[in-house]
Every structure is written in C-alpha cells, then in structure tokens.
C-alpha cells in the first residue's frame, strides 16, 4: 500500500505545520524537529504512544501532496476516525531485510534498472532513498552439530553453497546507495537490529525524528520492544518504500494490554509471550496495534519486552508496542550505544511527549475493552504441536500429548490408532542400541531471535545445563542438539559466565549465528534416526526456542514441534521425550543412581538475573559490532565488478532475471474480467506461507528438484527454497510444494492437484504450467486466515508466475493480502458465514468474475458465476484507492516503475 512521493521534502514544498518546527539543543549542538506539543491540541495527551509516532511522521512530511493536513487531522482524531477504517500515509525512516527476502528484493531492483533503461529512463532512479540494512542470517544450516566449533564448519559450507547469492548481494552493496550489508556469521536480523542497527531517534538533514522501520520479515516487530515503530511487510512493498514511496495504511485501532504484578521465579519470558499470544489470538487483533502498559511493564526487562513484541505475528497484531521509558535508555547504555547519542535520544523524546512515565498514572485511551494480565498467574508453558498459539501448560503436557495422538488429524491431532500408539522402533547408533516411540525428541534447538536476544533466558539454559552435568545427566547422542545464537554477544557472556562448557557437554555446541532451526535450516537427521521414524511411521518431536512450528517447517520427518523457553529445550533434550510429566517422572538419574527431577536443576529468575548482571557488559557489544563494517575474511575475499547494471548469468540456478518487468510498457493494459477460470487448489483454513512457498529442503522428485537435476545440480547441492529465492524458475516450481499441504481436490496429503479439464492428478506446478500453456486462467479457493505466517513475498510471486488471477478465501492474513495486491492478484472474501464448503463448491467448476475498470472500487462486491449454475457473492479486499491503482497497473512495482519513468 504505497503513495508515490519523494524521500524527504524539507524545503521542496511548503509544510503547513512549519510553525510547529522547534529547535532542541543537546550538548551544545542544535537540532530542528517538528514538535507535537506545539500543535496545541489536548487530544494528543490521550493518543496511544504508537499513534503519536504516526502523527509525528504526518506532521513532518506534510506537503499537501503525499501527506495532507486532512491526514494529520485524521490521526489526531484517532479515537473517532480509527473505527471508520480511514486511510492514512506513513513514511518509514528505514527498511531492514534478511537475505532470504533481501536477495529477491535486490533481484527486482536490478531487473527494474534493466526495464528503466529499456524504456528510455535513467537506471539511477532505481536507488534506495532511505537507509536499507540487510543482515545475512537465513543461509547457515546445522549440517554439523554436537562437535566443538561446529559453527566454523557450517559457515564454510554456507559460503560454498551460497557463493553466487553472496556475490550478488555484494554487487548490490556497490551498485545501490544507502545499502548496508551485515555479513554472514554476525547474527539474526532482529537481534542485530535490537542490539545495534536501531537508531531509536533518526538524524537527517539537521532534523530529529522517531526511528521507524518496515522489514521483509514478519518478526520485524521485535524492535517494538525498544519503542521503535515497525512491522513486517512483503518484499515488494519494502522495495517500493526503498524507492521513496509512502505507505498508505488503514489507521489502526490500538488494543491496550495492561500488565500488573511480577512473574514467578520459575517462569521465563517465553512462558509470558506464549500466554499473551493465546490471549490476544482469542481477542482477535489482526490489523491492529497492541500497546502494553501498566505497572507490570516496569518489572520486565527490555529483553523480556522484545520477546513479547517479537511474536506479534503469532498473535495476529501489526505491532506489539512498548513505549520508550527509563528501561529503554538503560538498554541503550547496556548495549554500548554512544553516550552522546543516548542523551540526544532521551532529550528529544521527552520534548516530544514520546517518553513514557508509568508512575504518572496518565494512561492513553485505547480501542474497546482493555486486556489485563496478572504476571504472577503465568505458568511454565509450551506451544504446539503445530501452531504457535496453541499453548500447553507444562503441567498438562503429558495429558495433552496423549490427546494429540488420539485426536483426528488436525492442528491438535495426529490420528494415531490405539493399537499403533505403543509402537517402538529399535535401532543401533554409534554402536549402542536405542529405541524411538511416538513423542521421542529427535531435535532440540536453542534458536531464534525470539529467545536468543534474552540474556536471562539464555543464561537460564546454561545454568540448567550446569546443574544437569554436575548431577551426571546426559543427552542421548542421536538427538540433534544445536545452539544458534542471534548475535556473537551471546557467546561472549556465555564464556564470561562459564556456562558454555556445560552446554557443550550436553551437545548444545554453537552451530552458527543465524535463524537456523527456526527457519527450517535444521540440517539432516542421522540416517539411523530417519530410518527408525520412517519404518514405524512415528510422530517424532522437536522442541525449539523459536516462534514458528508449522507442519514440515522444522523438518519434513518431524510432525510434532513445540515452542519452549531455552531452559525447557535443554530439559526435553535430557528427557528424550515430550510424553513426560516432569512433576511425577524424573528427568534422569544422577551418578549415584538417585532420581533427578526437573525442579532439582531448574534455575530461578533471580539466579538468572544475578548471573546476567555479572556477565553482560557494554564493552561486549562495542567489541562485536565495531567489526561489522570490516566484514569477515570470507566476505572480504568476494570480488565483484562495480557496475550499474547487473550482468545476468544464464547458467546460474541461484540468480535469474525475473519476468516481472521484461514486458512492462509505459502505460498499463486495461483491466480484464476473469473468465471461465479453473480452480488450481481448493484449500482449507490456516494455510500458511510455509504451505504456499516453503523455505526448507527441496525434494529430489519435486518439480524444483527435477529442474535442478536438468541443470546438472546434484541432490547434495540443492540447498533450500529459501536460499534459491533469487531464481524465479525454482520458486515458481516450489510454490505449493509443501509436503503437508492438504488440497481438497485430491484425497491425500501432499503437493498435488487435479488438472480439472482431464481429471489427471499431478504436481501443482505441472498443472499450473499446463493451464498456462492451454491459455486457461486459474483461481484458488481457501478458508480462514489464508497466508498466515512469515511475510513471504514469494507466496504471492509464485502463484502469479503460476498464472493465478484471484484467491477467494474466508479471510486473509494482513501482509499476505497486501502481497497479493502487490502482484496484481485479486483477493476476494466469501460473505460472512459462507465458504466453499457451505456453498457446495468442489473446485471442479469454472469461475467467472466480471471485474473491469468501471466496477473496480474499494470494497466492491462481485457476483461469481460458475459453470454448474451456482452463483455467489464475494467482497473485494482491495482496501484503499491506492490499491486499486496497483491492481490496475498489474502490481505495485509496475506502478512505481511507471511513476519513476514519468517523474
């Protein structure tokens, strides 16, 4: 959702709020800023702090072109206008990328430069106009684990496997302005953002203004814990922001979440966020901001707040915001930010009324009923086995696991018959005999920025490991145990506290600095383990400190995946199964044969806090992040040609010139009706972007696998779908290739469909390709929350390349709906209470939707006609006038390209 405008318009057009411009002097240096208090409006005092940031942006950028005085008044009148779904502009201060989404973004920019030249324009117009930070964190895999210095071997493999991608990104860093790359091995994008990249207050052209960011990963919201406004967007929308466009968004409602009390001593921030996620999912906060307040907020560390903010996508909110307060300033000092910068930040925010004082008692107004949580009521918890918001109290885990085995296949069920629930697979591993059963843990991973950014949680895992080792407890050697910190600082404070050696002894050696297991870069299970699972068709388990646990995301063979705190990850690795009640069953026996229970080795929050206070120092952050700009030895050895236009390599299977702009003309073609379209897939509820565009391993017999083999690539070099997002040929073939997808057109789970004209069953890509060759249009039918999960632009680009013209669903996830619009795919929703099933649609009909330039309006309801005679109504989810423009142009980037050509 973008409005066309230039990056910064100070002096370009008269700002009607110029009288609100003030001067701030800090340490003898003067800065200009647009003062919110100078507006003289009492409504400002009751605005949520998150909305005040939107207001400041509108006031500062008001030019009666991209941003108008009416926009400012709409934001100022938030209490009255938010329920009306009013559209407002917002100009983020910067963009942040990770490499899985960053590579296709740079590919698109390179392709747009080619198109600009072809159409007679200046390729240099395709340049980021705001700071863009790209952190390479998604490439490293846990190929090697449980051995000392595993991360060195994995980084070596990473560079070998991803050389073409890294070379391309390095070219991008030389070809485009305002483009910083954080090299591989530095950490996870959101943790690096939290600890280093976040400015909190921006300084540009002598002006100060609040930091704000959009990122091509849904967990960009982690930065909300630092008081920075930001959220995830699709890659195509981020690219438009880079090129100077203003986001056009619906002014959101803000749900207040009041916290009071203090967390119990046996509870972690993970338990808290899983509790919040369940509560907010129940409330329903999709498309809304959540703002936390109350006396309980002051009891939480900044890292605890970041953990809660990180999982905003899991509870469905656009943001999970914690206003800036004294704890924020303390964190900036802890992480080694320059003293002068911290002073500037605090001075500016206090002047602007953006600094929160919880003792004042002056709480903002919020939308509807405020949620409330007594922190003392939070219990140790996990979430799973298939969704992040399915919280299970630790005390009920064994009972819940039994229910999941018995329940029919679904989000909380595996449909295992009673006679098979006792199945055991025996195998020999490293000369010893072991056995697996349903619920056996085969993967235990301390992973993901959600938790590795939290020193107390991480130290908690280390202290638990120390206590376990001292009692003689061990982890079974066949369990794939990994530690993948989100920054090198974690290693520093582990070493300082002395817990690293105990984690090493239990197999939690550092396997790399990146997303790893959380994104599906788990690496392979040992053959003996994989065969045992396959032979008995066991429901094996993974326990990870991540934020996503959708089917087939963590590992194709592991059906049960539980999110848990880092200490609980270690605990379940020691237990070897999720089918355990820790209150009544010992976790193991000590060296004297005495039973050891989890409570005997569990560290308290007070012990963890004390250890963190002693081990974590600001100089650690300064030392680690001062080396970012220098790059690593391997990164610096990459040599690239400094050219404005990229020299595409036809033989490359990683980087390919996409077709998106190769036929773009100066003017868009007229909007055409969708006529006699076939249904490519008929899907149910909660189809995630992992189902649509998987990031994990590529099957040898899949369309993408067959394509790679035809290019001479061997199976060992396939890499992952995520790593190959720079190649549209791979990604089109990988669309709907998830092995756990359920398509109602076929009677088995997997990435196949029916080619309706002949009734043949085939891979989804093959059917789509056949439809395109025959000149057939296609649509998709879906249920509720279509496109949930990661903000994955290929989940829209892939269907576009497969020829999909429309998705008719019961509801859409926010980012994915926007991505569909951005690719020129029409999102329609069934009317309330209706679905494909209630309407009796099988997916074997043909569908006609008479959309044209005359009836293309916001919220339009269309009559969908089928060849069986059935008709039904569906509402357009083109939500703003700007989105109508994107759809008319065939997509957001085509719109931007044409505007830049004519600018």
């Amino acid at each position: 959702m973008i409005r066309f405008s230039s990056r910064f318009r100070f002096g370009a057009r008269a700002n009607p709020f110029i009288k609100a411009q003030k001067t701030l002097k800090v340490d003898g240096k003067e800065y200009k800023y647009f003062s919110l208090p100078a507006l003289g409006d009492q409504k400002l005092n009751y605005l949520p702090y998150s909305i005040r940031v939107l207001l400041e942006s509108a006031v500062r950028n008001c030019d009666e072109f991209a941003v108008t005085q009416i926009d400012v008044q709409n934001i100022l009148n938030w209490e009255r206008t938010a329920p009306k779904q009013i559209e407002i502009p917002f100009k983020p201060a910067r963009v942040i990328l990770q490499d899985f989404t960053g590579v296709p973004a740079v590919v698109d920019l390179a392709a747009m430069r080619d198109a600009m030249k072809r159409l007679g324009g200046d390729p240099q117009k395709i340049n980021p106009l705001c700071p863009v930070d790209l952190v390479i964190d998604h490439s490293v895999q846990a190929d090697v684990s449980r051995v000392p210095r595993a991360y060195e071997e994995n980084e070596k493999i990473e560079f070998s496997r991803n050389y073409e991608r890294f070379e391309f990104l390095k070219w991008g860093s030389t070809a485009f302005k305002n483009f910083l790359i954080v090299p591989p091995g530095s950490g996870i994008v959101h943790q690096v953002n939290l600890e280093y990249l976040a400015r909190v207050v921006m300084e540009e052209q002598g002006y100060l203004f609040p930091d704000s960011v959009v990122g091509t990963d849904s967990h960009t919201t982690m930065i909300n814990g630092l008081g920075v406004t930001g959220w995830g967007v699709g890659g195509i929308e981020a690219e438009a922001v880079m090129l100077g466009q203003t986001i056009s968004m619906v002014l959101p409602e803000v749900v207040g979440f009041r916290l009071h009390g203090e967390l119990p001593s046996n509870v972690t921030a993970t338990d808290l966020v899983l509790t919040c996620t369940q509560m907010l999912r129940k409330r329903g906060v999709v498309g809304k901001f959540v703002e936390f307040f109350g006396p309980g907020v002051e009891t939480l560390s900044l890292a605890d707040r970041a953990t809660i903010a990180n999982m905003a996508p899991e509870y469905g909110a656009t943001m999970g915001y914690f206003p800036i307060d004294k704890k924020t300033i303390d964190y900036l000092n802890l992480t080694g930010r320059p003293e002068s910068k911290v002073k500037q930040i605090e001075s500016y925010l206090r002047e602007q009324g953006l600094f929160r004082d919880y003792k004042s008692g002056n709480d903002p107004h919020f939308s509807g009923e405020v949620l409330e949580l007594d922190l003392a009521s939070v219990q140790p918890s996990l979430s799973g086995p298939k969704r992040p918001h399915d919280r299970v109290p630790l005390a009920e885990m064994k009972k819940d696991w039994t229910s999941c085995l018995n329940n029919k296949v679904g989000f909380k069920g595996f449909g295992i018959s009673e006679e098979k629930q006792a199945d055991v697979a025996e195998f020999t591993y490293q000369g010893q005999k072991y056995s697996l059963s349903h619920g056996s843990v085969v993967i235990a991973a301390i992973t993901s920025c959600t938790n590795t950014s939290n020193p107390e949680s991480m130290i908690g895992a280390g202290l638990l490991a120390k206590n376990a080792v001292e009692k003689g407890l061990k982890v079974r050697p066949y369990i794939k145990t990994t530690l993948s910190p989100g920054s090198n600082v974690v290693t520093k404070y582990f070493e300082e506290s002395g817990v690293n050696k105990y984690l090493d002894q239990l197999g939690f050696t550092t396997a790399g600095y990146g997303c790893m297991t959380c994104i599906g870069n788990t690496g392979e299970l040992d053959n003996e383990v994989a065969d045992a699972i396959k032979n008995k068709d066991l429901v094996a388990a993974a326990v990870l400190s991540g934020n996503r646990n959708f089917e087939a995301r963590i590992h194709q063979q592991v059906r049960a995946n539980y999110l848990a705190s880092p200490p609980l990850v270690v605990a379940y690795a020691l237990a070897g199964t999720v089918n355990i009640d820790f209150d009544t069953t010992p976790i193991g026996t000590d060296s004297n044969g005495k039973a050891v229970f989890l409570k005997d080795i569990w560290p308290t929050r007070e012990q963890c806090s004390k250890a963190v206070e002693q081990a974590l120092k600001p100089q650690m952050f300064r030392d680690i992040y001062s080396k970012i700009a220098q790059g690593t030895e391997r990164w610096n050895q990459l040599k690239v040609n400094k050219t404005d236009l990229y020299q595409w390599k036809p033989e490359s299977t990683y980087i390919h010139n996409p077709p998106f702009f190769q036929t773009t003309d100066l003017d868009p073609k007229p909007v055409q009706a969708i006529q006699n379209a076939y249904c490519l897939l008929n899907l149910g509820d909660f189809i995630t972007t992992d189902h649509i565009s998987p990031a994990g391993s590529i099957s040898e017999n899949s369309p993408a696998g067959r394509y790679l083999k035809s290019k001479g690539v061997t199976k060992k070099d396939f890499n992952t779908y995520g790593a190959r997002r720079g190649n549209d040929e791979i990604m089109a073939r990988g669309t709907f290739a998830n092995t756990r997808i359920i398509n109602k057109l076929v009677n088995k789970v997997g990435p196949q469909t029916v080619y309706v004209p002949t009734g043949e069953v085939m891979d989804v890509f093959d059917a789509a390709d056949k439809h395109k060759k025959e000149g057939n249009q296609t649509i998709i039918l879906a249920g509720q929350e279509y496109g949930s999960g990661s903000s994955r632009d290929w989940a829209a680009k892939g269907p576009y390349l497969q020829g999909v013209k429309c998705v008719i669903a019961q509801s859409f996830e926010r980012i994915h709906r926007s991505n569909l619009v951005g690719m020129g795919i029409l999102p329609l929703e069934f009317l309330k209470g209706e679905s494909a099933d209630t309407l009796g649609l099988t997916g074997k009909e043909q569908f006609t939707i008479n959309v044209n330039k005359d009836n293309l309006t916001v919220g339009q309801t269309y009559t969908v006609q089928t060849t069986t005679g059935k008709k039904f109504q569906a509402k357009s989810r083109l939500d703003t006038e700007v989105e109508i423009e994107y759809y008319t142009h065939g997509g957001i980037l085509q719109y931007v390209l044409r505007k830049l050509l004519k600018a």
Side-chain angles (χ1 to χ4, degrees):
M1 301 178 289
I2 305 291
R3 287 185 186 180
F4 181 77
S5 95
S6 63
R7 160 67 183 153
F8 230 43
R9 290 185 171 269
F10 294 149
R13 290 172 182 255
N15 188 320
F17 294 98
I18 193 67
K19 290 183 178 179
Q21 182 176 295
K22 301 294 180 183
T23 300
L24 175 67
K25 184 177 286 188
V26 183
D27 287 340
K29 187 175 181 180
E30 284 194 352
Y31 305 94
K32 296 177 182 177
Y33 71 101
F34 281 80
S35 169
L36 295 182
L39 297 176
D41 196 310
Q42 290 300 309
K43 290 191 291 291
L44 179 65
N45 297 326
Y46 304 104
L47 284 181
Y49 283 75
S50 50
I51 297 298
R52 297 181 196 188
V53 177
L54 302 184
L55 176 64
E56 189 282 337
S57 174
V59 169
R60 173 170 38 90
N61 291 293
C62 188
D63 57 3
E64 299 295 2
F65 175 66
V67 184
T68 68
Q69 292 186 69
I70 294 175
D71 294 322
V72 172
Q73 289 304 316
N74 281 337
I75 301 172
L76 200 51
N77 293 317
W78 168 82
E79 280 194 84
R80 180 173 56 82
T81 53
K84 298 179 181 180
Q85 299 284 288
I86 298 292
E87 178 189 350
I88 63 159
F90 179 58
K91 185 174 289 185
R94 58 190 176 94
V95 173
I96 194 163
L97 314 169
Q98 39 92 337
D99 57 307
F100 272 15
T101 51
V103 168
V106 179
V107 165
D108 286 349
L109 293 178
M112 289 179 76
R113 277 194 174 178
D114 288 350
M116 181 69 79
K117 183 177 181 181
R118 175 176 59 82
L119 294 170
D122 179 8
Q124 282 298 319
K125 285 186 176 181
I126 307 298
N127 245 320
L129 297 176
C130 66
V132 178
D133 303 318
L134 189 154
V135 181
I136 301 177
D137 66 346
H138 273 50
S139 303
V140 65
Q141 297 188 51
D143 294 290
V144 180
S145 61
R146 295 184 63 95
V147 298
R149 307 188 74 82
Y151 68 91
E152 292 182 348
E153 187 63 27
N154 285 327
E155 186 179 316
K156 181 180 177 181
I157 296 170
E158 176 189 16
F159 260 82
S160 174
R161 186 182 280 146
N162 295 280
Y163 183 85
E164 286 185 59
R165 298 171 62 248
F166 292 170
E167 184 183 50
F168 175 71
L169 287 175
K170 194 160 189 181
W171 168 81
S173 70
T174 66
F176 297 107
K177 300 174 183 176
N178 298 318
F179 190 31
L180 169 71
I181 289 186
V182 178
S186 302
I188 303 175
V189 56
H190 307 306
Q191 188 164 340
V192 174
N193 192 22
L194 186 75
E195 295 177 354
Y196 173 66
L197 294 172
R199 284 73 160 172
V200 184
V201 169
M202 303 290 292
E203 180 182 345
E204 190 171 322
Q205 297 181 23
Y207 283 81
L208 298 180
F209 53 98
D211 187 7
S212 58
V213 62
V214 289
T216 55
D217 187 281
S218 51
H219 296 103
T220 299
T221 54
M222 185 172 189
I223 206 61
N224 303 159
L226 193 65
V228 173
T229 297
W231 55 83
V233 296
I236 46 182
E237 192 169 0
E239 291 163 38
V241 172
M242 290 182 217
L243 296 174
Q245 312 312 297
T246 303
I247 288 179
S248 181
M249 60 186 285
V250 173
L251 182 62
E253 295 184 49
V254 182
V255 175
F257 199 133
R258 185 176 185 272
L259 303 176
H260 63 93
E262 293 191 37
L263 290 172
S265 63
N266 65 333
V267 161
T268 68
T270 315
D271 306 317
L272 173 57
V273 70
L274 296 180
T275 302
C276 292
T277 298
Q278 186 181 48
M279 291 177 65
L280 287 162
R281 270 281 174 181
K282 185 176 180 180
R283 164 69 180 267
V285 292
V286 173
K288 301 175 183 178
F289 289 178
V290 174
E291 188 165 309
F292 294 88
F293 73 107
V297 173
E298 287 189 293
T299 71
L300 300 178
S301 68
L302 195 290
D304 291 342
R305 300 176 188 183
T307 297
I308 296 169
N310 177 282
M311 287 189 72
E314 281 66 49
Y315 45 82
T318 304
M319 287 206 304
Y321 190 73
F322 288 84
I324 294 169
D325 67 350
K326 182 64 167 58
K327 283 281 183 76
T328 317
I329 300 302
D330 292 343
Y331 183 81
L332 293 175
N333 287 318
L334 172 66
T335 50
R337 264 71 169 206
E339 184 180 341
S340 58
K341 178 63 179 176
V342 176
K343 187 174 182 180
Q344 178 208 70
I345 289 169
E346 184 171 0
S347 299
Y348 167 76
L349 293 170
R350 287 187 180 278
E351 288 291 327
Q352 277 288 46
L354 294 174
F355 195 91
R356 188 74 158 96
D357 180 4
Y358 291 100
K359 292 184 174 63
S360 69
N362 298 323
D363 292 328
H365 293 177
F366 295 107
S367 305
E369 185 179 350
V370 167
L371 270 77
E372 189 151 345
L373 175 64
D374 180 357
L375 296 177
S377 70
V378 176
Q379 306 172 53
S381 302
L382 299 89
S383 275
K386 301 180 184 182
R387 296 190 301 186
H389 53 277
D390 290 331
R391 185 179 70 89
V392 186
L394 179 62
E396 299 175 17
M397 184 63 183
K398 182 176 175 65
K399 178 182 175 183
D400 190 80
W401 172 253
T402 302
S403 297
C404 287
L405 287 182
N406 286 312
N407 294 344
K408 67 179 183 179
V409 175
F411 298 126
K412 291 291 289 185
F414 297 105
I416 305 299
S417 61
E418 191 172 343
E419 64 270 16
K420 287 187 173 291
Q421 289 183 19
D423 281 357
V424 174
E426 296 185 346
F427 64 103
T428 300
Y429 184 81
Q430 295 179 354
Q432 297 291 318
K433 289 187 177 181
Y434 297 95
S435 63
L436 295 181
S437 57
H438 294 295
S440 289
V441 173
V442 295
I443 295 170
I446 300 174
T447 182
S448 172
C449 52
T450 308
N451 286 292
T452 69
S453 62
N454 194 307
E456 286 189 9
S457 293
M458 294 297 282
I459 285 288
L463 291 177
L464 189 144
K466 176 178 182 293
N467 296 340
V469 169
E470 289 176 346
K471 286 187 176 293
L473 302 185
K474 295 180 180 180
V475 173
R476 295 164 180 82
Y478 62 79
I479 298 176
K480 184 149 195 169
T481 47
T482 56
L483 168 64
S484 50
S487 93
N488 286 254
V489 175
V490 176
T491 300
K492 288 287 187 184
Y493 67 70
F494 270 3
E495 291 172 349
E496 182 70 20
S497 64
V499 300
N500 56 312
K501 61 184 179 183
Y502 300 105
L503 287 164
D504 288 348
Q505 287 182 61
L506 294 183
F508 288 95
T509 55
T510 300
Y513 298 90
C515 293
M516 228 167 227
T517 304
C518 188
I519 191 62
N521 289 352
T522 309
E524 296 301 326
L525 297 175
D526 287 316
N527 290 335
E528 299 92 330
V529 178
D531 290 344
I533 295 171
K534 183 177 180 181
N535 291 341
K536 288 289 186 177
D537 193 27
L538 296 176
V539 181
V543 183
L544 64 149
S545 62
N547 47 46
R548 293 271 164 83
N549 55 344
F550 304 134
E551 285 185 284
R553 178 186 176 95
I554 307 305
H555 193 281
Q556 298 279 0
Q557 284 190 276
V558 181
R559 283 187 271 171
N561 301 279
Y562 287 93
L563 306 182
S565 66
L568 273 182
V569 170
V570 178
Y572 275 102
L574 290 164
T577 180
V578 295
N579 186 20
I580 183 174
D581 181 344
F582 284 123
D583 288 336
T584 60
T585 305
I587 198 170
T589 54
D590 65 18
S591 51
N592 297 318
K594 182 182 177 182
V596 178
F597 287 83
L598 179 58
K599 64 183 180 181
D600 299 328
I601 59 174
W602 189 268
T604 65
R605 279 182 66 83
E606 293 74 21
Q607 290 171 331
C608 295
S609 297
K610 184 177 180 181
V612 169
E613 187 178 344
Q614 293 173 345
L616 188 59
K617 307 298 179 187
Q619 194 58 43
M620 293 177 178
F621 294 91
R622 297 189 190 104
D623 291 344
I624 292 297
Y625 287 114
S626 65
K627 300 172 184 175
I628 289 289
Q630 300 171 21
T632 62
E633 183 179 353
R634 285 193 178 93
W635 180 257
N636 292 335
Q637 287 174 353
L638 284 173
K639 303 300 180 186
V640 296
N641 294 322
K642 296 182 179 180
T643 57
D644 287 344
L645 300 178
Y646 184 67
Q647 305 302 307
W648 304 99
K649 301 172 184 176
E651 72 280 4
S652 175
T653 56
Y654 276 98
I655 307 298
H656 186 258
N657 190 358
F660 307 132
F661 314 105
Q662 292 182 14
T663 58
T664 300
D665 295 322
L666 282 172
D667 296 301
K669 296 175 182 177
V671 173
Q672 299 289 325
I674 298 169
Q675 294 185 324
N676 292 320
Y678 288 96
C679 180
L680 185 61
L681 298 104
N682 183 3
L683 304 168
D685 295 340
F686 207 71
I687 293 296
T688 70
T689 52
D690 281 284
H691 288 116
I692 304 168
S693 182
S697 60
I698 300 172
S699 171
E700 191 169 6
N701 294 319
S702 67
R706 297 196 300 270
Y707 175 83
L708 286 169
K709 285 193 290 186
S710 76
K711 296 294 182 179
V713 180
T714 61
K715 177 66 172 71
K716 70 179 180 65
D717 294 322
F718 275 11
N719 211 326
T720 64
Y721 284 112
R724 290 192 180 271
R725 285 183 186 160
N727 188 312
D728 57 281
E729 297 280 6
I730 305 290
M731 298 311 296
R733 288 165 171 80
T735 302
F736 299 111
N738 188 301
T739 59
R740 306 306 302 173
I741 194 168
I742 298 175
N743 175 16
K744 298 175 189 175
L745 285 172
V746 291
N747 58 10
K748 63 179 182 178
V749 175
Q752 292 193 310
T753 194
V754 171
Y755 180 68
V756 175
T758 64
E760 297 172 85
V761 175
M762 58 185 70
D763 288 326
V764 174
F765 171 79
D766 294 336
D769 190 48
K770 196 166 185 176
H771 278 302
K772 288 183 71 175
K773 288 176 179 176
E774 294 296 326
N776 301 328
Q777 293 182 319
T778 55
I779 67 160
I780 291 169
L781 298 176
Q784 306 230 21
E785 298 186 61
Y786 180 76
S788 299
S790 302
S791 55
R792 201 164 287 174
D793 57 335
W794 268 110
K797 287 180 175 177
Y800 167 86
L801 291 175
Q802 288 188 351
V804 173
K805 301 299 180 185
C806 172
V807 178
I808 309 176
Q810 286 178 263
S811 64
F812 292 91
E813 190 275 340
R814 175 185 63 86
I815 299 174
H816 185 63
R817 184 205 61 80
S818 176
N819 279 343
L820 290 173
V821 176
M823 290 309 300
I825 296 175
L826 180 65
L828 297 182
E829 282 186 0
F830 292 106
L831 298 186
K832 189 173 182 179
E834 295 184 349
S835 67
D837 290 343
T838 64
L839 293 168
L841 302 174
T842 65
K844 294 185 178 179
E845 308 86 352
Q846 287 177 263
F847 301 81
T848 295
I849 307 163
N850 188 27
V851 56
N852 57 60
K853 63 180 180 65
D854 296 323
N855 64 14
L856 197 62
T857 57
V858 172
Q860 176 72 33
T861 298
Y862 296 102
T863 298
V864 183
Q865 298 178 319
T866 72
T867 48
T868 61
K870 290 178 180 175
K871 296 181 181 180
F872 62 94
Q873 303 288 304
K875 181 182 177 182
S876 169
R877 284 302 312 277
L878 298 175
D879 289 354
T880 65
E881 292 295 337
V882 177
E883 289 191 341
I884 299 291
E885 282 292 304
Y886 303 157
Y887 184 75
T888 301
H889 279 261
I892 189 173
L893 294 180
Q894 287 80 359
Y895 169 84
V896 171
L897 179 62
R898 291 185 178 112
K899 287 291 185 179
L900 289 173
L901 271 164
K902 297 174 182 179

